[in-house]
């Protein structure tokens, strides 16, 4: 197990250090791959330690990791003193990154260090130096030192990384992630970044197999045992701050730390919902390693929803909604009291529509009188949502947050993620998110089948079904307006134009919802301002 608090090497004058108390070879190689992804021009890495402690193995793995070629031939520079490699660059304006691998064990004369170009190596690329004690007075003050020492047995080593505070800024979180993997029994896993959404969280797929690529990733339940998901969720201060001084996260009841999510996950499991099993967690630093549910979601593409998967998801929602609704979850992360999807939360989300989608279409801010009119139109509609049956709302039940597990042994064919912001809210909300998937085009027929499956599972008939239809359309309208604002903001403020592709689909969903007679006043307001763009 890694321990960042274990005694450091004698280079204790450094500003930052991180100690891995017990590394086996697989974890050492994986750490080298981690480091390979962050080094760049100007870096000098000094690999210090006695013979046979794994310096060459680490250097070879780092070079192969940077080359993205596990089979790269890396001859020892013991006799040549230096081997130079052209690697993929860390900068867009450079064609390659030069890494010079030095072995100074056989240096017989100090002048040889100048002859082999040691001083210039980190100025024009990266210097990777074994036996750096032979040239310590020439090395830059901001070199990263890696001290290899004997471990508890012949198969393990102690490794201490130390350097300036700048190295700490670059490597602290990388080391914390690797420490969690080691503590969780996944020390040799290779991390491949996963493209994230607009949240502050980030993810990586951890692979114990030779296939760590993200391209076309698809795995069955047995194969998933060789993969896990590493979630990086550092706590952040609630925000953004609104014009009236409130923090959006607090008003919308969004979680801003990992601990509540851990307790929520455990609570959902107790309720019988299929969520990823947790392999390991670092609550202090906001890191969690959990089960990889695979690469098969509810759709095979934006225009290819798979009916069987959506219908199964609706049935699992019905099962969840049929149980008593909890008010809190107690677990490893402490007690998390569930918020209610109250009027303030609904309205602050609708403000996203006026703040971002309106100017996206109109080219100017929404006038205050129209904002007031919009809020007045929503007031009685929100009253109805607040009076509706209240259930546990996961909030983002859609592709790609739901995974198809095929012949799952527990009889639950759908696994759920992205539930950290769950709360108590109107019964139709998650079904609305599913049947009007913002990222996948759901046909009228499939929408009807999804609703029918839910109704049948909960025995909703007659007048109850008519009342449910009103709630459903209200949830679709509120959620879709929020989404439209979020997509416009992503494109206009965050340079993510790909989100604009979801707008035409969302406008279609909104049109259908506004066609319900109970939403006629809202439809008239919408039509009068020609907000279809």
């Amino acid at each position: 197990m890694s321990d960042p608090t274990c005694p450091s090497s004698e280079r204790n004058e450094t500003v930052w250090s991180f100690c891995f108390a017990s590394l086996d070879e697989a974890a050492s190689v994986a750490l080298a791959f981690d480091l390979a992804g962050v080094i760049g021009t100007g870096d000098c890495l000094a690999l210090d330690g006695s013979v046979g402690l794994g310096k060459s193995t680490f250097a070879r793995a780092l070079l192969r990791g940077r080359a993205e070629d596990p089979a790269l031939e890396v001859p020892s520079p013991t006799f040549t003193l230096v081997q130079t490699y052209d690697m993929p660059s860390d900068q867009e304006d450079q064609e390659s990154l030069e890494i010079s691998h030095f072995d100074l064990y056989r240096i017989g004369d100090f002048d040889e260090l100048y002859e082999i170009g040691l001083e210039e190596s980190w100025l024009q690329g990266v210097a990777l130096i074994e036996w750096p004690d032979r040239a310590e007075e020439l090395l830059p003050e901001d070199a990263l030192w890696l001290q290899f020492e004997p471990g508890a047995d012949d198969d393990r080593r102690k490794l201490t990384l130390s350097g300036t505070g700048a190295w700490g800024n670059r490597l602290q979180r990388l080391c914390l992630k690797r420490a969690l993997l080691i503590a969780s029994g996944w020390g040799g896993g290779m991390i491949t970044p996963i493209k994230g959404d607009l949240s502050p969280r980030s993810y990586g797929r951890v692979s114990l197999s030779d296939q760590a690529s993200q391209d076309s990733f698809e795995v069955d339940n047995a194969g998933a045992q060789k993969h896990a998901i590493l979630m990086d969720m550092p706590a952040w201060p609630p925000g953004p701050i609104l014009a009236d001084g409130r923090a959006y996260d607090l008003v919308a009841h969004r979680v801003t730390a990992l601990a509540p999510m851990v307790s929520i996950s455990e609570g959902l499991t107790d309720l019988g919902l299929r969520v990823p099993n947790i392999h390991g967690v670092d609550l202090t630093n906001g890191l969690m390693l959990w089960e990889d549910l695979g690469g098969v979601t509810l759709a095979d593409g934006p225009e290819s929803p798979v009916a069987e998967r959506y219908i199964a998801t609706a049935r699992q929602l019905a099962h969840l909604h049929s149980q008593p609704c909890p008010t809190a979850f107690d677990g490893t992360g402490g007690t998390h009291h569930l918020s209610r999807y109250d009027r303030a939360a609904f309205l602050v989300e609708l403000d996203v529509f006026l703040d971002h989608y309106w100017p996206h279409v109109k080219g100017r801010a929404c006038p205050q009188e129209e904002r007031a009119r919009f809020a007045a139109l929503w007031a009685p509609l929100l009253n109805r949502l607040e009076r509706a049956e209240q259930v546990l709302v996961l909030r983002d039940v859609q592709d790609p947050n739901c995974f198809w597990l095929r012949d799952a042994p527990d009889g639950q064919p759908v696994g759920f993620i992205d539930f950290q912001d769950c709360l108590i809210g109107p019964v139709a909300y998650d079904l609305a998110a599913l049947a009007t998937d913002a990222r996948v085009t759901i046909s009228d027929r499939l929408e009807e089948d999804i609703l029918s499956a839910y109704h049948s599972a909960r025995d909703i008939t007659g007048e109850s079904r008519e009342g449910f239809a009103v709630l459903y359309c209200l949830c679709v309208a509120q959620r879709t307006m929020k989404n439209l604002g979020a997509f416009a903001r992503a494109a206009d403020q965050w340079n993510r134009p790909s989100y604009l592709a979801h707008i035409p689909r969302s406008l279609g969903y909104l049109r259908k919802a506004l066609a319900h007679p109970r939403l006629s006043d809202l439809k008239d307001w919408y039509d009068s301002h020609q907000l279809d763009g």
Side-chain angles (χ1 to χ4, degrees):
M1 178 177 176
S2 299
D3 180 7
T5 64
C6 68
S8 180
S9 68
E10 293 181 359
R11 298 184 58 82
N12 55 15
E13 74 279 3
T14 56
V15 175
W16 172 81
S17 68
F18 196 104
C19 176
F20 292 92
S22 184
L23 283 181
D24 61 17
E25 183 173 331
S28 180
V29 167
L31 177 62
F33 268 67
D34 294 340
L35 192 58
V38 299
I39 58 174
T41 301
D43 290 340
C44 177
L45 280 61
L47 280 59
D48 198 16
S50 303
V51 174
L53 291 182
K55 300 186 303 297
S56 296
T57 298
F58 191 94
R60 189 176 298 113
L62 188 147
L63 290 164
R64 288 171 174 168
R66 185 62 190 221
E68 299 179 352
D69 180 4
L72 177 70
E73 184 69 25
V74 182
S76 171
T78 300
F79 294 99
T80 59
L81 301 183
V82 60
Q83 293 281 350
T84 303
Y85 302 84
D86 286 331
M87 298 291 189
S89 176
D90 61 318
Q91 300 179 22
E92 294 182 0
D93 59 348
Q94 293 183 355
E95 294 184 359
S96 63
L97 173 69
E98 183 177 280
I99 300 182
S100 299
H101 179 199
F102 295 90
D103 186 328
L104 305 184
Y105 183 76
R106 296 182 180 275
I107 285 291
D109 188 295
F110 203 75
D111 289 340
E112 289 183 72
L113 297 173
Y114 298 100
E115 294 173 5
I116 62 177
L118 182 69
E119 280 192 301
E120 294 81 20
S121 59
W122 56 83
L123 299 178
Q124 58 195 26
V126 174
L128 184 60
I129 305 171
E130 297 185 54
W131 301 99
D133 56 305
R134 269 58 167 176
E136 186 165 354
E137 62 188 77
L138 287 182
L139 300 188
E141 293 184 359
D142 61 353
L144 176 68
W145 284 77
L146 294 90
Q147 181 72 43
F148 293 79
E149 300 174 83
D153 55 55
D154 292 342
D155 296 327
R156 295 181 180 274
R157 302 291 180 263
K158 173 183 172 182
L159 173 59
T160 304
L161 288 73
S162 56
T164 63
W167 277 112
N169 293 336
R170 293 167 65 183
L171 301 184
Q172 178 71 10
R173 203 144 191 91
L174 177 152
C175 290
L176 288 170
K177 291 178 181 180
R178 184 53 55 184
L180 175 62
L181 295 186
I182 294 169
S184 305
W186 289 71
M190 298 297 183
I191 304 172
T192 304
I194 297 175
K195 184 178 179 180
D197 54 16
L198 299 176
S199 78
R201 299 177 298 275
S202 61
Y203 301 87
R205 174 165 277 114
V206 181
S207 174
L208 293 177
S209 70
D210 295 331
Q211 298 177 350
S213 172
Q214 263 300 110
D215 297 337
S216 302
F217 179 79
E218 182 173 327
V219 64
D220 58 20
N221 294 321
Q225 296 176 7
K226 296 183 179 180
H227 301 271
I229 300 298
L230 178 61
M231 186 175 74
D232 187 347
M233 186 179 176
W236 65 89
I241 303 303
L242 305 172
D244 59 8
R246 297 179 302 166
Y248 182 92
D249 286 331
L250 295 181
V251 181
H253 308 303
R254 299 201 304 187
V255 167
T256 60
L258 178 62
M261 183 175 183
V262 175
S263 293
I264 291 169
S265 176
E266 294 168 347
L268 291 176
T269 298
D270 291 341
L271 289 173
L273 197 72
R274 183 66 168 91
V275 300
N277 296 314
I278 297 175
H279 299 315
V281 64
D282 178 353
L283 290 177
T284 301
N285 295 295
L287 298 170
M288 181 165 66
L289 183 70
W290 63 358
E291 180 186 7
D292 189 346
L293 296 180
V296 183
T297 57
L298 300 183
D300 292 334
E303 303 301 323
S304 302
V306 180
E308 177 189 14
R309 303 172 191 172
Y310 277 87
I311 291 170
T313 306
R315 291 187 177 124
Q316 287 189 227
L317 285 177
H319 175 72
L320 178 66
H321 295 169
S322 297
Q323 301 180 68
C325 183
T327 59
F329 288 124
D330 292 306
T332 303
T335 300
H336 175 67
H337 295 280
L338 291 166
S339 300
R340 287 194 170 269
Y341 217 149
D342 53 22
R343 180 178 299 266
F346 283 124
L347 286 174
V348 80
E349 291 179 342
L350 287 168
D351 282 343
V352 177
F353 176 76
L354 298 180
D355 291 342
H356 301 285
Y357 183 73
W358 179 294
H360 176 79
V361 174
K362 297 290 190 179
R364 63 184 185 278
C366 180
Q368 283 301 119
E369 59 270 21
E370 290 304 330
R371 299 181 76 97
R373 175 63 178 154
F374 184 72
L377 289 170
W378 267 105
L381 304 178
L382 296 182
N383 287 340
R384 187 162 190 132
L385 288 181
E386 290 181 312
R387 292 195 305 266
E389 177 189 359
Q390 301 292 292
V391 299
L392 188 63
V393 171
L394 303 180
R395 221 164 188 177
D396 282 307
V397 179
Q398 60 185 15
D399 190 90
N401 295 333
C402 302
F403 292 82
W404 183 243
L405 305 181
R406 297 173 179 164
D407 300 323
D410 55 9
Q412 296 174 300
V414 181
F416 296 79
I417 65 169
D418 204 13
F419 46 73
Q420 68 285 337
D421 296 325
C422 73
L423 37 57
I424 299 170
V427 64
Y429 189 91
D430 279 343
L431 195 64
L434 177 70
T436 57
D437 194 321
R439 290 170 171 79
V440 179
T441 301
I442 305 297
S443 67
D444 291 348
R445 174 61 185 274
L446 179 54
E447 182 183 18
E448 291 175 4
D449 289 345
I450 292 170
L451 294 175
S452 178
Y454 182 89
H455 292 152
S456 296
R458 295 203 66 199
D459 195 25
I460 300 175
T461 59
E463 292 184 5
S464 296
R465 183 171 294 196
E466 292 177 7
F468 191 93
V470 179
L471 294 175
Y472 171 80
C473 288
L474 286 175
C475 289
V476 171
Q478 191 275 344
R479 179 178 172 82
T480 303
M481 284 184 166
K482 176 189 70 172
N483 285 341
L484 286 167
F487 298 150
R489 177 177 56 193
D492 298 341
Q493 295 187 9
W494 299 340
N495 194 30
R496 303 285 288 273
S498 61
Y499 280 85
L500 295 178
H502 304 316
I503 287 182
R505 178 186 307 117
S506 297
L507 289 173
Y509 295 149
L510 181 58
R511 276 288 177 193
K512 285 196 294 183
L514 293 179
H516 194 285
R518 295 295 182 92
L519 278 69
S520 59
D521 290 343
L522 185 63
K523 179 180 183 298
D524 291 341
W525 177 90
Y526 182 87
D527 288 343
S528 69
H529 293 294
Q530 300 179 326
L531 290 170
D532 277 354

